[in-house]
Structures are given as C-alpha cells and as structure tokens.
Amino acid sequence: MQAGSEMPAAMGPAVRSDLRLEARVMSANRAGQPAKAANVADAAGRALVYSRSQTGRRPAYLRAMERLFDARKARLRDLFFSRSPVLFLMIEEAFVLYLVASLLRALTGRRTAGLLLRPMPVVMSPRPVERCKRLALQWLKRLPACQTLTIVPFSVFPAFSSVASGWIYDFQLWDLTGEERDAVDTLRRERHPPEYGVVTAIGTQSRRKGFDLFADTYTRSCDLRRRFQFLACGKVAPGVADYAAAFCEAGGVAVDRAVSDCELLGAYAASDAVWCLYPPAGDHASGILGRAAQLGIPVVVRYGSLAHRLCIVENILHVAATADRVAERLADPLPPRDATRGRLMALRFARESEATLRAAFGWAE
C-alpha cells in the first residue's frame, strides 16, 4: 500500500483526526501469537518465499512469513539450487514455474509449497486452460514433497481438495500485531461519539469490489442515510467515478486516494461494519474481510458467496444480503463489534496455519 497523507483517512465524527496512528503501530509480534522459534528451520536453512511481484496482499503475506519463520525472499535461482523449503505466495502468477520448480526440487528431496489464492476457477471452470491447470495440480498432489495449499478451508468448499493437498487460513485473518490491535482499540475508545453507524468500503473502489452497489444503495435509501454514514476509503476506479459523484452528493464520504496501512487501521477503528458484498467476479478470499474478522467487526457479504460460506463455517460476525435486499438487511440491528472474539479466533487460525506450514516445509514435530 502506498503511503498516503499523515492525516487519518477516516475523518469526521466517527474517529479522532488528531491521533497519530503511526506512533502506536510498531513492528513486533502480535500479543499472544505463537512465538517465532529461534531454530525453526532444519539443517537446510530457513524458509524462502517467492513472489514475482510485490503488489496487493503479497507484502502483508511476506511480513507474516518473516515474523513467523524468519523467512526471506527467494531469488529465481534459489528455486532450483537452494535446499531450503520454498513457498510460492501466489501460484496463479507463476503457474508453470511452480510446476517445474516443484517437480525438479521433488526429484532431489527438497520441499516446495504454494498458495492457491483463487482456486474456484481451477476447480469449476470448463475452460481448457483451467482444465489443464486442474489436471496438473491433481498430478502434483501425488508428490509428498509438493504441497499446494488453498487459503480457504476445505469445509467451506470441499471441491478445493481435488487440486490441493491442504489449506491454511488467509494470513490476513490472523496477522495483526499486538500494537496494531492496541492502536485500533485506542482509536475506537477515543473517537468522538458517532451520530450514525459507520459502514466502510475499504481498498480500491471498483465494480469488482461492489462499489457501484455500495454507492447506489446509500444514494437511493433515505432510511439508510438516516441511520448510517457510508465511508469509502481507497482510490476510486475511473469506471465507477459517476457512482462516486452521486454517492458524495448524497452525503457519503469518499477518500479517493491511496491510503497507508496505518490510515486503513483508522478506518477499521471507525467502522461498525465493513463492506465485503462483492459480485461473483470478486468472490474469492478477501484480506479486507480477514482484517475485519480478526478485529471482531461485522462484515456485509453476498448471500451464498464464498465469503458467506466462510463466515458461517468459522462463525464470523456478518450480515448476508442479496444485491436487491441489502438496504433492507441493514435496517435490522447490526451484530455488535467483539474484539475479544476476533482476537481468540485469530489465535486459533494462527496456530492451525502455522502447524500446516511447518508440515509442508518438513518441520512437523
């Protein structure tokens, strides 16, 4: 995430504008998080993490791996010459390389794991290219040294087990540090008493993120505007600029720029619910949902979506709605924020995910 201005993105009555979140967020282990073992790696060395780019959620994933396993970034040559276990952060961005590296490393007894961030097309699509990927991953499952992992539990969508050896919870369901949690809690306690509930759309605002529905719902519903302040925190894509203009004219707040990670935590602190009602094209694991869940903030999800299934299976606070009934569903009382519940859930997710990764790296005790 690019750095934004020094003022918190979530302005107005819901959050203090004079509180510098940067002073409260420091790099340290999350309170209660399993401690990083000093000798976590085997004789082959610490884990290597490969990613072709450093955009989107990848920096957050890398930070989590560094904190948990003292991992370092892998160079291309490391994939073929290093004996350390390798984790591909996103198989989709380098599918052929993942297959080739996994096979060659398996032939010499070296471990390779990869995260499949969007397994739904591979599992369900009839397109020839996706069918080929499906067959390749099914074949790769036969090699014990190769571990393809989804970031969605198989209990949420059992068909994912046809192409993956196992799963972890999305890092962004359990990666916040104790300092980040404390900063959000402090902002929440010290904000000015809000006149309205706050529903926040976080990240790039686009059709894929459901911003058109978010803006249209607020613009068209007088009752909703009397009960809630809608806040869009993130750069508005050109394709939905007209929706943003109408949204702001109706009283919505749009922070139309890239915002820093610290400012995003300020937006979570201000929120009574976080918008995750995405169209089918955006129906995959969401870091935005994950951050809200581990902070105990209810999320608004599309009824029947993968996100909705995850919320049901893992008992995540949520409001499920169809596109034509979201205003009606928000007319009901929201589930209250529950930071303790979110913290305990994140601890469980961290413990189970760490155990799975250790096993994939050949470090299981």
Side-chain angles (χ1 to χ4, degrees):
M1 182 65 65
Q2 298 176 357
S5 73
E6 294 185 351
M7 296 299 290
M11 303 291 285
V15 63
R16 286 177 53 183
S17 62
D18 60 331
L19 190 57
R20 291 291 300 278
L21 193 59
E22 285 84 349
R24 300 179 181 274
V25 179
M26 302 168 63
S27 58
N29 288 334
R30 173 164 43 85
Q33 179 178 341
K36 180 176 64 180
N39 298 314
V40 70
D42 62 7
R46 60 183 181 175
L48 302 175
V49 179
Y50 178 78
S51 180
R52 183 167 286 176
S53 66
Q54 299 297 317
T55 59
R57 67 182 70 185
R58 297 173 188 84
Y61 282 13
L62 182 58
R63 287 195 297 271
M65 286 295 297
E66 289 172 343
R67 196 161 59 237
L68 195 61
F69 296 120
D70 194 28
R72 66 175 177 86
K73 295 179 184 178
R75 298 161 296 183
L76 188 60
R77 67 181 184 181
D78 292 331
L79 304 182
F80 301 100
F81 298 109
S82 175
R83 296 199 57 82
S84 297
V86 170
L87 175 69
F88 279 71
L89 278 189
M90 185 176 183
I91 293 173
E92 292 90 336
E93 71 174 356
F95 190 86
V96 174
L97 179 61
Y98 173 65
L99 293 179
V100 173
S102 296
L103 176 59
L104 294 178
R105 290 172 58 82
L107 291 175
T108 54
R110 293 173 291 170
R111 293 274 184 160
T112 309
L115 300 181
L116 195 61
L117 302 194
R118 299 180 182 179
M120 188 70 77
V122 177
V123 171
M124 303 301 294
S125 175
R127 295 176 57 209
V129 65
E130 300 298 345
R131 292 178 62 186
C132 289
K133 290 180 179 180
R134 182 160 62 245
L135 291 172
L137 291 175
Q138 289 171 347
W139 176 82
L140 201 64
K141 280 184 64 179
R142 301 177 183 179
L143 304 178
C146 305
Q147 296 286 308
T148 300
L149 307 173
T150 69
I151 57 171
V152 178
F154 290 164
S155 56
V156 173
F157 205 85
F160 291 166
S161 63
S162 66
V163 297
S165 306
W167 53 270
I168 64 170
Y169 291 99
D170 188 338
F171 287 108
Q172 292 181 305
L173 279 163
W174 50 271
D175 65 346
L176 290 179
T177 65
E179 282 71 20
E180 288 168 330
R181 289 180 179 279
D182 290 345
V184 171
D185 290 344
T186 299
L187 282 169
R188 185 72 180 175
R189 289 193 303 268
E190 298 187 5
R191 69 175 187 164
H192 300 303
E195 299 177 13
Y196 313 98
V198 177
V199 179
T200 309
I202 294 175
T204 301
Q205 305 303 315
S206 63
R207 290 182 185 274
R208 181 178 286 271
K209 290 293 187 69
F211 177 74
D212 50 341
L213 178 61
F214 177 79
D216 198 50
T217 298
Y218 187 73
T219 301
R220 292 176 178 273
S221 176
C222 294
D223 290 339
L224 206 60
R225 293 198 299 273
R226 280 194 289 268
R227 293 192 61 216
F228 292 103
Q229 175 69 70
F230 272 34
L231 168 66
C233 188
K235 186 68 177 176
V236 176
V240 292
D242 291 344
Y243 285 95
F247 172 72
C248 292
E249 187 175 345
V253 177
V255 182
D256 183 11
R257 58 176 172 80
V259 294
S260 69
D261 289 344
C262 291
E263 289 179 303
L264 290 180
L265 290 180
Y268 282 112
S271 301
D272 296 291
V274 171
W275 182 268
C276 297
L277 202 164
Y278 305 149
D283 188 17
H284 51 81
S286 167
I288 293 167
L289 182 151
R291 291 287 171 79
Q294 61 177 310
L295 289 167
I297 306 170
V299 291
V300 183
V301 296
R302 180 168 55 83
Y303 184 86
S305 64
L306 198 63
H308 184 202
R309 291 172 182 240
L310 177 65
C311 289
I312 292 173
V313 169
E314 298 299 342
N315 200 23
I316 294 171
L317 296 172
H318 71 283
V319 174
T322 58
D324 57 344
R325 299 192 64 183
V326 62
E328 180 181 336
R329 290 289 289 114
L330 288 175
D332 297 329
L334 291 174
R337 288 175 59 124
D338 190 339
T340 300
R341 175 177 178 169
R343 186 187 297 267
L344 293 175
M345 182 182 67
L347 286 172
R348 176 171 64 85
F349 291 169
R351 184 171 59 251
E352 295 181 18
S353 299
E354 179 187 2
T356 299
L357 288 168
R358 288 176 62 87
F361 295 154
W363 297 339
E365 297 177 356

